[in-house]
Amino acid sequence: MNKQRVAKLIKELLVEIGEDPSREGLLKTPARVAAAYEFLTSGYRTNIKTVINNAVFHAEANNMVVLRNIEVFSLCEHHMLPFFGHCHIGYIPKKKVIGVSKLARIMDCHARRLQIQERLTAQIATDLMKAIGAEGVGVVMECRHLCMVMRGVEKQESVMTTSSVLGSFHNDAATRAEFLSLVGRSGGG
Ligand code: ZN
């Protein structure tokens, strides 16, 4: 990402929305916004293989592993406004487990892009499945979308839930129910 070029575009945007980019409070804003976007879209410049980087380990255990309440922040691709909330990731290993912090890193790699929540949820599940060849994988995400809260229908309390289930989490109702109950969503949904 060319930060200088992005800063120049932000300066033009400030003029278009009716601001004066030369007033004191805004002098450094274009550069700050460019730096913020570099971070918020860093997923485009992150290689998932580097992220996982040797953190896959052999293990005979085949119990369900669940990481709950991972904070997720992303930008909706329709309005470039934040959506944020919590993500729960679970899997049943088949001879391979992954370092637990890597679950959050896989999530961030996809969250730090322009996204829709449905695709983000599915990409996390697919990447995890690809990385460890699990018996099953499940991802549930609950987010509030600022494009709905601040504008549009202005529904401040609405939370959108998406899920993606693969392997035994998809094929076996009991496994899926166990996962949903572990992430506090028993009864399905
Ligand atoms: Zn939106």
Side-chain angles (χ1 to χ4, degrees):
M1 197 189 100
N2 182 333
K3 269 201 277 185
Q4 274 169 345
R5 171 141 173 78
V6 173
K8 200 167 155 254
L9 292 167
I10 296 299
K11 199 171 169 182
E12 286 174 33
L13 179 63
L14 286 170
V15 173
E16 289 304 320
I17 64 174
E19 262 296 353
D20 169 13
S22 66
R23 74 176 173 85
E24 198 187 356
L26 293 179
L27 282 178
K28 291 182 176 168
T29 296
R32 286 195 196 100
V33 174
Y37 269 100
E38 185 174 54
F39 177 78
L40 297 174
T41 64
S42 57
Y44 293 116
R45 296 168 289 282
T46 305
N47 184 323
I48 201 82
K49 280 190 183 138
T50 319
V51 165
I52 294 165
N53 188 28
N54 302 327
V56 174
F57 309 102
H58 181 84
E60 287 303 329
N62 62 350
N63 301 313
M64 191 179 292
V65 178
V66 173
L67 185 62
R68 289 183 62 214
N69 285 338
I70 317 165
E71 301 97 316
V72 56
F73 296 90
S74 188
L75 293 171
C76 85
E77 68 182 19
H78 302 132
H79 306 92
M80 293 174 75
L81 285 171
F83 65 92
F84 59 94
H86 290 96
C87 179
H88 318 291
I89 304 176
Y91 68 96
I92 296 179
K94 195 161 66 186
K95 301 208 184 289
K96 281 186 208 168
V97 294
I98 189 165
V100 71
S101 69
K102 300 297 183 182
L103 297 175
R105 290 196 185 282
I106 290 172
M107 184 198 77
D108 281 337
C109 178
H110 291 292
R112 289 175 185 158
R113 301 170 193 234
L114 302 187
Q115 276 290 7
I116 59 171
Q117 187 181 327
E118 296 90 330
R119 186 176 62 225
L120 174 58
T121 308
Q123 285 174 333
I124 297 163
T126 307
D127 265 5
L128 178 58
M129 185 56 109
K130 258 193 239 163
I132 58 172
E135 189 188 301
V137 167
V139 178
V140 171
M141 198 176 284
E142 301 161 304
C143 290
R144 297 177 69 201
H145 291 246
L146 286 192
C147 62
M148 275 189 75
V149 173
M150 293 177 72
R151 55 162 293 290
V153 291
E154 297 179 74
K155 293 297 175 227
Q156 277 82 26
E157 301 301 326
S158 60
V159 174
M160 177 167 162
T161 302
T162 48
S163 69
S164 180
V165 285
L166 303 174
S168 60
F169 283 53
H170 180 264
N171 303 326
D172 186 306
T175 303
R176 184 166 62 247
E178 182 187 350
F179 170 63
L180 293 174
S181 117
L182 284 171
V183 303
R185 299 202 59 81
S186 49

